Amino acid sequence: MAEEYGSQAGNPSFPVWVLEHETEGVVGCTSHYGNDALPEWAFTGEERAEPSLFLATTFTAPNPHRLGRLIAWWSLDRAAKQGLAWVRRGTGQEQLSRYYQEAQGWELLRVADHRRTKVFFLQREARPMPELADLMAGRRL
């Protein structure tokens, strides 16, 4: 899938954002979608009507710096600046869902069965992240 996601980064029709280190190059990426990307089989009509950012296809290079948290915090801050109420995300991995909840403060919204696979959907209220500048500078990692 790396080739597919890499090609999305160069395609202006995909809302891909990259995290770039000044000497190591691209060390992470994510995609930001709007309410129209929320799957109907996973979200209620009321939830799809709430102004939200859907965080998808987030990857980071193996690292000790919690770059995934950095991407999530940046997404929460960006959504708040855009006046959105929620940042939502999904994962097909229960262990990753638990990590998002325990280490990053995400709330489990629901577990949906899709094509014989459990998909865990999580959300957090969009909010300014004042500590983001320090995290981006490599402090308080």
Side-chain angles (χ1 to χ4, degrees), residues 11-43:
N11 185 335
S13 65
F14 284 94
V16 177
W17 295 87
V18 296
L19 178 60
E20 186 173 9
H21 186 272
E22 61 187 11
T23 59
E24 296 178 31
V26 174
V27 293
C29 69
T30 194
S31 298
H32 285 177
Y33 295 94
N35 290 22
D36 56 331
L38 296 174
E40 290 184 21
W41 53 267
F43 293 90

PDB file of all heavy atoms in Angstrom, residues 11-43:
ATOM      1  N   ASN A  11      -0.919  13.830  -5.673  1.00  0.00           N
ATOM      2  CA  ASN A  11      -2.161  14.045  -6.394  1.00  0.00           C
ATOM      3  C   ASN A  11      -2.973  15.132  -5.690  1.00  0.00           C
ATOM      4  O   ASN A  11      -3.398  14.950  -4.550  1.00  0.00           O
ATOM      5  CB  ASN A  11      -2.953  12.733  -6.436  1.00  0.00           C
ATOM      6  CG  ASN A  11      -4.209  12.829  -7.260  1.00  0.00           C
ATOM      7  OD1 ASN A  11      -4.764  13.900  -7.447  1.00  0.00           O
ATOM      8  ND2 ASN A  11      -4.656  11.694  -7.745  1.00  0.00           N
ATOM      9  N   PRO A  12      -3.218  16.263  -6.354  1.00  0.00           N
ATOM     10  CA  PRO A  12      -3.921  17.365  -5.688  1.00  0.00           C
ATOM     11  C   PRO A  12      -5.364  17.044  -5.289  1.00  0.00           C
ATOM     12  O   PRO A  12      -5.961  17.767  -4.492  1.00  0.00           O
ATOM     13  CB  PRO A  12      -3.864  18.505  -6.704  1.00  0.00           C
ATOM     14  CG  PRO A  12      -3.535  17.874  -7.996  1.00  0.00           C
ATOM     15  CD  PRO A  12      -2.821  16.582  -7.711  1.00  0.00           C
ATOM     16  N   SER A  13      -5.928  15.960  -5.781  1.00  0.00           N
ATOM     17  CA  SER A  13      -7.304  15.629  -5.401  1.00  0.00           C
ATOM     18  C   SER A  13      -7.368  14.881  -4.066  1.00  0.00           C
ATOM     19  O   SER A  13      -8.456  14.646  -3.547  1.00  0.00           O
ATOM     20  CB  SER A  13      -7.998  14.818  -6.502  1.00  0.00           C
ATOM     21  OG  SER A  13      -7.380  13.570  -6.664  1.00  0.00           O
ATOM     22  N   PHE A  14      -6.216  14.504  -3.513  1.00  0.00           N
ATOM     23  CA  PHE A  14      -6.174  13.855  -2.207  1.00  0.00           C
ATOM     24  C   PHE A  14      -5.645  14.855  -1.175  1.00  0.00           C
ATOM     25  O   PHE A  14      -4.622  15.496  -1.396  1.00  0.00           O
ATOM     26  CB  PHE A  14      -5.259  12.618  -2.219  1.00  0.00           C
ATOM     27  CG  PHE A  14      -5.866  11.430  -2.887  1.00  0.00           C
ATOM     28  CD1 PHE A  14      -5.629  11.171  -4.226  1.00  0.00           C
ATOM     29  CD2 PHE A  14      -6.690  10.563  -2.175  1.00  0.00           C
ATOM     30  CE1 PHE A  14      -6.192  10.082  -4.846  1.00  0.00           C
ATOM     31  CE2 PHE A  14      -7.259   9.461  -2.794  1.00  0.00           C
ATOM     32  CZ  PHE A  14      -7.010   9.218  -4.129  1.00  0.00           C
ATOM     33  N   PRO A  15      -6.329  14.967  -0.035  1.00  0.00           N
ATOM     34  CA  PRO A  15      -5.912  15.934   0.994  1.00  0.00           C
ATOM     35  C   PRO A  15      -4.824  15.373   1.911  1.00  0.00           C
ATOM     36  O   PRO A  15      -5.010  15.206   3.115  1.00  0.00           O
ATOM     37  CB  PRO A  15      -7.217  16.184   1.762  1.00  0.00           C
ATOM     38  CG  PRO A  15      -7.951  14.881   1.643  1.00  0.00           C
ATOM     39  CD  PRO A  15      -7.593  14.325   0.285  1.00  0.00           C
ATOM     40  N   VAL A  16      -3.680  15.048   1.330  1.00  0.00           N
ATOM     41  CA  VAL A  16      -2.578  14.439   2.070  1.00  0.00           C
ATOM     42  C   VAL A  16      -1.665  15.520   2.630  1.00  0.00           C
ATOM     43  O   VAL A  16      -1.308  16.476   1.941  1.00  0.00           O
ATOM     44  CB  VAL A  16      -1.757  13.485   1.162  1.00  0.00           C
ATOM     45  CG1 VAL A  16      -0.567  12.906   1.907  1.00  0.00           C
ATOM     46  CG2 VAL A  16      -2.643  12.372   0.629  1.00  0.00           C
ATOM     47  N   TRP A  17      -1.299  15.354   3.901  1.00  0.00           N
ATOM     48  CA  TRP A  17      -0.360  16.241   4.566  1.00  0.00           C
ATOM     49  C   TRP A  17       0.838  15.400   4.976  1.00  0.00           C
ATOM     50  O   TRP A  17       0.683  14.250   5.363  1.00  0.00           O
ATOM     51  CB  TRP A  17      -0.999  16.861   5.808  1.00  0.00           C
ATOM     52  CG  TRP A  17      -2.140  17.753   5.459  1.00  0.00           C
ATOM     53  CD1 TRP A  17      -3.446  17.382   5.286  1.00  0.00           C
ATOM     54  CD2 TRP A  17      -2.087  19.148   5.205  1.00  0.00           C
ATOM     55  NE1 TRP A  17      -4.209  18.463   4.950  1.00  0.00           N
ATOM     56  CE2 TRP A  17      -3.394  19.568   4.892  1.00  0.00           C
ATOM     57  CE3 TRP A  17      -1.063  20.084   5.216  1.00  0.00           C
ATOM     58  CZ2 TRP A  17      -3.699  20.887   4.604  1.00  0.00           C
ATOM     59  CZ3 TRP A  17      -1.374  21.402   4.927  1.00  0.00           C
ATOM     60  CH2 TRP A  17      -2.676  21.792   4.624  1.00  0.00           C
ATOM     61  N   VAL A  18       2.026  15.977   4.888  1.00  0.00           N
ATOM     62  CA  VAL A  18       3.220  15.233   5.283  1.00  0.00           C
ATOM     63  C   VAL A  18       3.927  15.950   6.426  1.00  0.00           C
ATOM     64  O   VAL A  18       3.851  17.170   6.564  1.00  0.00           O
ATOM     65  CB  VAL A  18       4.213  15.026   4.112  1.00  0.00           C
ATOM     66  CG1 VAL A  18       3.582  14.177   3.027  1.00  0.00           C
ATOM     67  CG2 VAL A  18       4.705  16.333   3.553  1.00  0.00           C
ATOM     68  N   LEU A  19       4.577  15.156   7.255  1.00  0.00           N
ATOM     69  CA  LEU A  19       5.418  15.661   8.334  1.00  0.00           C
ATOM     70  C   LEU A  19       6.848  15.473   7.873  1.00  0.00           C
ATOM     71  O   LEU A  19       7.276  14.346   7.612  1.00  0.00           O
ATOM     72  CB  LEU A  19       5.147  14.876   9.625  1.00  0.00           C
ATOM     73  CG  LEU A  19       5.980  15.243  10.848  1.00  0.00           C
ATOM     74  CD1 LEU A  19       5.764  16.703  11.238  1.00  0.00           C
ATOM     75  CD2 LEU A  19       5.610  14.323  12.003  1.00  0.00           C
ATOM     76  N   GLU A  20       7.549  16.585   7.725  1.00  0.00           N
ATOM     77  CA  GLU A  20       8.894  16.526   7.187  1.00  0.00           C
ATOM     78  C   GLU A  20       9.902  16.991   8.233  1.00  0.00           C
ATOM     79  O   GLU A  20       9.739  18.042   8.847  1.00  0.00           O
ATOM     80  CB  GLU A  20       8.990  17.407   5.935  1.00  0.00           C
ATOM     81  CG  GLU A  20      10.308  17.294   5.228  1.00  0.00           C
ATOM     82  CD  GLU A  20      10.327  18.048   3.903  1.00  0.00           C
ATOM     83  OE1 GLU A  20       9.383  18.794   3.610  1.00  0.00           O
ATOM     84  OE2 GLU A  20      11.312  17.884   3.164  1.00  0.00           O
ATOM     85  N   HIS A  21      10.942  16.186   8.401  1.00  0.00           N
ATOM     86  CA  HIS A  21      12.042  16.525   9.303  1.00  0.00           C
ATOM     87  C   HIS A  21      13.084  17.287   8.483  1.00  0.00           C
ATOM     88  O   HIS A  21      13.309  16.973   7.311  1.00  0.00           O
ATOM     89  CB  HIS A  21      12.636  15.241   9.881  1.00  0.00           C
ATOM     90  CG  HIS A  21      13.678  15.476  10.919  1.00  0.00           C
ATOM     91  ND1 HIS A  21      15.003  15.643  10.601  1.00  0.00           N
ATOM     92  CD2 HIS A  21      13.582  15.585  12.269  1.00  0.00           C
ATOM     93  CE1 HIS A  21      15.690  15.837  11.711  1.00  0.00           C
ATOM     94  NE2 HIS A  21      14.839  15.801  12.736  1.00  0.00           N
ATOM     95  N   GLU A  22      13.728  18.259   9.098  1.00  0.00           N
ATOM     96  CA  GLU A  22      14.658  19.109   8.341  1.00  0.00           C
ATOM     97  C   GLU A  22      15.835  18.349   7.735  1.00  0.00           C
ATOM     98  O   GLU A  22      16.362  18.767   6.709  1.00  0.00           O
ATOM     99  CB  GLU A  22      15.148  20.271   9.195  1.00  0.00           C
ATOM    100  CG  GLU A  22      15.912  19.862  10.438  1.00  0.00           C
ATOM    101  CD  GLU A  22      16.238  21.034  11.348  1.00  0.00           C
ATOM    102  OE1 GLU A  22      15.711  22.138  11.135  1.00  0.00           O
ATOM    103  OE2 GLU A  22      17.026  20.826  12.277  1.00  0.00           O
ATOM    104  N   THR A  23      16.239  17.233   8.325  1.00  0.00           N
ATOM    105  CA  THR A  23      17.365  16.481   7.746  1.00  0.00           C
ATOM    106  C   THR A  23      16.971  15.083   7.273  1.00  0.00           C
ATOM    107  O   THR A  23      17.607  14.539   6.393  1.00  0.00           O
ATOM    108  CB  THR A  23      18.526  16.348   8.749  1.00  0.00           C
ATOM    109  OG1 THR A  23      18.064  15.675   9.917  1.00  0.00           O
ATOM    110  CG2 THR A  23      19.103  17.704   9.107  1.00  0.00           C
ATOM    111  N   GLU A  24      15.906  14.501   7.847  1.00  0.00           N
ATOM    112  CA  GLU A  24      15.526  13.126   7.510  1.00  0.00           C
ATOM    113  C   GLU A  24      14.446  13.033   6.443  1.00  0.00           C
ATOM    114  O   GLU A  24      14.065  11.936   6.043  1.00  0.00           O
ATOM    115  CB  GLU A  24      15.087  12.388   8.778  1.00  0.00           C
ATOM    116  CG  GLU A  24      16.221  12.243   9.776  1.00  0.00           C
ATOM    117  CD  GLU A  24      15.780  11.555  11.052  1.00  0.00           C
ATOM    118  OE1 GLU A  24      14.868  10.701  10.992  1.00  0.00           O
ATOM    119  OE2 GLU A  24      16.349  11.868  12.106  1.00  0.00           O
ATOM    120  N   GLY A  25      13.932  14.164   6.002  1.00  0.00           N
ATOM    121  CA  GLY A  25      12.890  14.155   4.978  1.00  0.00           C
ATOM    122  C   GLY A  25      11.522  13.806   5.563  1.00  0.00           C
ATOM    123  O   GLY A  25      11.250  14.058   6.734  1.00  0.00           O
ATOM    124  N   VAL A  26      10.667  13.201   4.759  1.00  0.00           N
ATOM    125  CA  VAL A  26       9.307  12.881   5.185  1.00  0.00           C
ATOM    126  C   VAL A  26       9.355  11.753   6.216  1.00  0.00           C
ATOM    127  O   VAL A  26       9.913  10.695   5.964  1.00  0.00           O
ATOM    128  CB  VAL A  26       8.422  12.476   3.986  1.00  0.00           C
ATOM    129  CG1 VAL A  26       7.049  12.011   4.451  1.00  0.00           C
ATOM    130  CG2 VAL A  26       8.284  13.649   3.015  1.00  0.00           C
ATOM    131  N   VAL A  27       8.775  12.019   7.397  1.00  0.00           N
ATOM    132  CA  VAL A  27       8.768  11.034   8.476  1.00  0.00           C
ATOM    133  C   VAL A  27       7.352  10.628   8.876  1.00  0.00           C
ATOM    134  O   VAL A  27       7.160   9.791   9.756  1.00  0.00           O
ATOM    135  CB  VAL A  27       9.535  11.544   9.719  1.00  0.00           C
ATOM    136  CG1 VAL A  27      11.029  11.681   9.403  1.00  0.00           C
ATOM    137  CG2 VAL A  27       8.965  12.858  10.232  1.00  0.00           C
ATOM    138  N   GLY A  28       6.361  11.216   8.218  1.00  0.00           N
ATOM    139  CA  GLY A  28       4.980  10.852   8.511  1.00  0.00           C
ATOM    140  C   GLY A  28       4.034  11.491   7.521  1.00  0.00           C
ATOM    141  O   GLY A  28       4.400  12.406   6.778  1.00  0.00           O
ATOM    142  N   CYS A  29       2.800  10.986   7.509  1.00  0.00           N
ATOM    143  CA  CYS A  29       1.777  11.564   6.646  1.00  0.00           C
ATOM    144  C   CYS A  29       0.398  11.234   7.209  1.00  0.00           C
ATOM    145  O   CYS A  29       0.235  10.313   8.012  1.00  0.00           O
ATOM    146  CB  CYS A  29       1.899  11.058   5.212  1.00  0.00           C
ATOM    147  SG  CYS A  29       1.491   9.314   5.022  1.00  0.00           S
ATOM    148  N   THR A  30      -0.567  12.003   6.776  1.00  0.00           N
ATOM    149  CA  THR A  30      -1.963  11.748   7.106  1.00  0.00           C
ATOM    150  C   THR A  30      -2.818  12.378   6.033  1.00  0.00           C
ATOM    151  O   THR A  30      -2.345  13.191   5.247  1.00  0.00           O
ATOM    152  CB  THR A  30      -2.331  12.305   8.500  1.00  0.00           C
ATOM    153  OG1 THR A  30      -3.576  11.754   8.911  1.00  0.00           O
ATOM    154  CG2 THR A  30      -2.403  13.821   8.517  1.00  0.00           C
ATOM    155  N   SER A  31      -4.085  12.018   6.010  1.00  0.00           N
ATOM    156  CA  SER A  31      -5.053  12.634   5.111  1.00  0.00           C
ATOM    157  C   SER A  31      -6.176  13.215   5.948  1.00  0.00           C
ATOM    158  O   SER A  31      -6.581  12.621   6.943  1.00  0.00           O
ATOM    159  CB  SER A  31      -5.625  11.609   4.132  1.00  0.00           C
ATOM    160  OG  SER A  31      -4.611  11.082   3.321  1.00  0.00           O
ATOM    161  N   HIS A  32      -6.663  14.377   5.534  1.00  0.00           N
ATOM    162  CA  HIS A  32      -7.771  15.042   6.202  1.00  0.00           C
ATOM    163  C   HIS A  32      -8.948  15.097   5.240  1.00  0.00           C
ATOM    164  O   HIS A  32      -8.830  15.650   4.151  1.00  0.00           O
ATOM    165  CB  HIS A  32      -7.401  16.476   6.583  1.00  0.00           C
ATOM    166  CG  HIS A  32      -6.501  16.570   7.758  1.00  0.00           C
ATOM    167  ND1 HIS A  32      -6.009  17.772   8.204  1.00  0.00           N
ATOM    168  CD2 HIS A  32      -6.018  15.647   8.616  1.00  0.00           C
ATOM    169  CE1 HIS A  32      -5.249  17.580   9.274  1.00  0.00           C
ATOM    170  NE2 HIS A  32      -5.235  16.290   9.533  1.00  0.00           N
ATOM    171  N   TYR A  33     -10.060  14.520   5.645  1.00  0.00           N
ATOM    172  CA  TYR A  33     -11.274  14.537   4.840  1.00  0.00           C
ATOM    173  C   TYR A  33     -12.375  15.224   5.625  1.00  0.00           C
ATOM    174  O   TYR A  33     -12.334  15.310   6.844  1.00  0.00           O
ATOM    175  CB  TYR A  33     -11.714  13.106   4.499  1.00  0.00           C
ATOM    176  CG  TYR A  33     -10.740  12.382   3.618  1.00  0.00           C
ATOM    177  CD1 TYR A  33      -9.757  11.566   4.165  1.00  0.00           C
ATOM    178  CD2 TYR A  33     -10.787  12.512   2.235  1.00  0.00           C
ATOM    179  CE1 TYR A  33      -8.857  10.891   3.361  1.00  0.00           C
ATOM    180  CE2 TYR A  33      -9.886  11.840   1.424  1.00  0.00           C
ATOM    181  CZ  TYR A  33      -8.922  11.031   1.997  1.00  0.00           C
ATOM    182  OH  TYR A  33      -8.025  10.369   1.193  1.00  0.00           O
ATOM    183  N   GLY A  34     -13.409  15.663   4.929  1.00  0.00           N
ATOM    184  CA  GLY A  34     -14.559  16.283   5.563  1.00  0.00           C
ATOM    185  C   GLY A  34     -15.656  15.274   5.859  1.00  0.00           C
ATOM    186  O   GLY A  34     -15.478  14.059   5.711  1.00  0.00           O
ATOM    187  N   ASN A  35     -16.804  15.787   6.255  1.00  0.00           N
ATOM    188  CA  ASN A  35     -17.941  14.946   6.612  1.00  0.00           C
ATOM    189  C   ASN A  35     -18.349  13.992   5.496  1.00  0.00           C
ATOM    190  O   ASN A  35     -18.834  12.895   5.769  1.00  0.00           O
ATOM    191  CB  ASN A  35     -19.158  15.809   6.962  1.00  0.00           C
ATOM    192  CG  ASN A  35     -18.991  16.536   8.257  1.00  0.00           C
ATOM    193  OD1 ASN A  35     -17.884  16.754   8.718  1.00  0.00           O
ATOM    194  ND2 ASN A  35     -20.083  16.929   8.860  1.00  0.00           N
ATOM    195  N   ASP A  36     -18.173  14.401   4.267  1.00  0.00           N
ATOM    196  CA  ASP A  36     -18.586  13.551   3.148  1.00  0.00           C
ATOM    197  C   ASP A  36     -17.810  12.242   3.093  1.00  0.00           C
ATOM    198  O   ASP A  36     -18.253  11.280   2.465  1.00  0.00           O
ATOM    199  CB  ASP A  36     -18.459  14.306   1.822  1.00  0.00           C
ATOM    200  CG  ASP A  36     -17.054  14.852   1.580  1.00  0.00           C
ATOM    201  OD1 ASP A  36     -16.341  15.159   2.551  1.00  0.00           O
ATOM    202  OD2 ASP A  36     -16.676  14.983   0.400  1.00  0.00           O
ATOM    203  N   ALA A  37     -16.685  12.161   3.772  1.00  0.00           N
ATOM    204  CA  ALA A  37     -15.888  10.930   3.783  1.00  0.00           C
ATOM    205  C   ALA A  37     -16.280   9.981   4.916  1.00  0.00           C
ATOM    206  O   ALA A  37     -15.802   8.849   4.960  1.00  0.00           O
ATOM    207  CB  ALA A  37     -14.408  11.263   3.888  1.00  0.00           C
ATOM    208  N   LEU A  38     -17.143  10.434   5.818  1.00  0.00           N
ATOM    209  CA  LEU A  38     -17.561   9.566   6.923  1.00  0.00           C
ATOM    210  C   LEU A  38     -18.442   8.450   6.358  1.00  0.00           C
ATOM    211  O   LEU A  38     -19.482   8.730   5.770  1.00  0.00           O
ATOM    212  CB  LEU A  38     -18.333  10.362   7.983  1.00  0.00           C
ATOM    213  CG  LEU A  38     -17.552  11.453   8.712  1.00  0.00           C
ATOM    214  CD1 LEU A  38     -18.480  12.253   9.614  1.00  0.00           C
ATOM    215  CD2 LEU A  38     -16.408  10.861   9.506  1.00  0.00           C
ATOM    216  N   PRO A  39     -18.046   7.199   6.536  1.00  0.00           N
ATOM    217  CA  PRO A  39     -18.827   6.101   5.955  1.00  0.00           C
ATOM    218  C   PRO A  39     -20.229   6.026   6.554  1.00  0.00           C
ATOM    219  O   PRO A  39     -20.401   6.083   7.776  1.00  0.00           O
ATOM    220  CB  PRO A  39     -18.027   4.848   6.323  1.00  0.00           C
ATOM    221  CG  PRO A  39     -16.731   5.307   6.868  1.00  0.00           C
ATOM    222  CD  PRO A  39     -16.860   6.738   7.241  1.00  0.00           C
ATOM    223  N   GLU A  40     -21.221   5.893   5.696  1.00  0.00           N
ATOM    224  CA  GLU A  40     -22.615   5.797   6.152  1.00  0.00           C
ATOM    225  C   GLU A  40     -22.841   4.578   7.027  1.00  0.00           C
ATOM    226  O   GLU A  40     -23.695   4.605   7.908  1.00  0.00           O
ATOM    227  CB  GLU A  40     -23.560   5.786   4.955  1.00  0.00           C
ATOM    228  CG  GLU A  40     -23.621   7.114   4.240  1.00  0.00           C
ATOM    229  CD  GLU A  40     -24.643   7.118   3.116  1.00  0.00           C
ATOM    230  OE1 GLU A  40     -25.564   6.290   3.128  1.00  0.00           O
ATOM    231  OE2 GLU A  40     -24.505   7.988   2.230  1.00  0.00           O
ATOM    232  N   TRP A  41     -22.088   3.517   6.792  1.00  0.00           N
ATOM    233  CA  TRP A  41     -22.254   2.293   7.576  1.00  0.00           C
ATOM    234  C   TRP A  41     -21.634   2.410   8.968  1.00  0.00           C
ATOM    235  O   TRP A  41     -21.821   1.535   9.815  1.00  0.00           O
ATOM    236  CB  TRP A  41     -21.676   1.076   6.837  1.00  0.00           C
ATOM    237  CG  TRP A  41     -20.255   1.245   6.390  1.00  0.00           C
ATOM    238  CD1 TRP A  41     -19.829   1.698   5.171  1.00  0.00           C
ATOM    239  CD2 TRP A  41     -19.073   0.974   7.143  1.00  0.00           C
ATOM    240  NE1 TRP A  41     -18.460   1.738   5.127  1.00  0.00           N
ATOM    241  CE2 TRP A  41     -17.964   1.286   6.324  1.00  0.00           C
ATOM    242  CE3 TRP A  41     -18.843   0.491   8.423  1.00  0.00           C
ATOM    243  CZ2 TRP A  41     -16.646   1.135   6.742  1.00  0.00           C
ATOM    244  CZ3 TRP A  41     -17.529   0.346   8.849  1.00  0.00           C
ATOM    245  CH2 TRP A  41     -16.452   0.668   8.015  1.00  0.00           C
ATOM    246  N   ALA A  42     -20.924   3.503   9.231  1.00  0.00           N
ATOM    247  CA  ALA A  42     -20.228   3.651  10.509  1.00  0.00           C
ATOM    248  C   ALA A  42     -20.703   4.840  11.334  1.00  0.00           C
ATOM    249  O   ALA A  42     -20.504   4.850  12.542  1.00  0.00           O
ATOM    250  CB  ALA A  42     -18.737   3.780  10.275  1.00  0.00           C
ATOM    251  N   PHE A  43     -21.301   5.836  10.694  1.00  0.00           N
ATOM    252  CA  PHE A  43     -21.708   7.048  11.391  1.00  0.00           C
ATOM    253  C   PHE A  43     -23.183   7.321  11.142  1.00  0.00           C
ATOM    254  O   PHE A  43     -23.682   7.108  10.046  1.00  0.00           O
ATOM    255  CB  PHE A  43     -20.865   8.255  10.918  1.00  0.00           C
ATOM    256  CG  PHE A  43     -19.430   8.165  11.317  1.00  0.00           C
ATOM    257  CD1 PHE A  43     -18.503   7.555  10.485  1.00  0.00           C
ATOM    258  CD2 PHE A  43     -18.992   8.668  12.527  1.00  0.00           C
ATOM    259  CE1 PHE A  43     -17.168   7.451  10.846  1.00  0.00           C
ATOM    260  CE2 PHE A  43     -17.666   8.578  12.907  1.00  0.00           C
ATOM    261  CZ  PHE A  43     -16.743   7.964  12.062  1.00  0.00           C
TER     262      PHE A  43
END
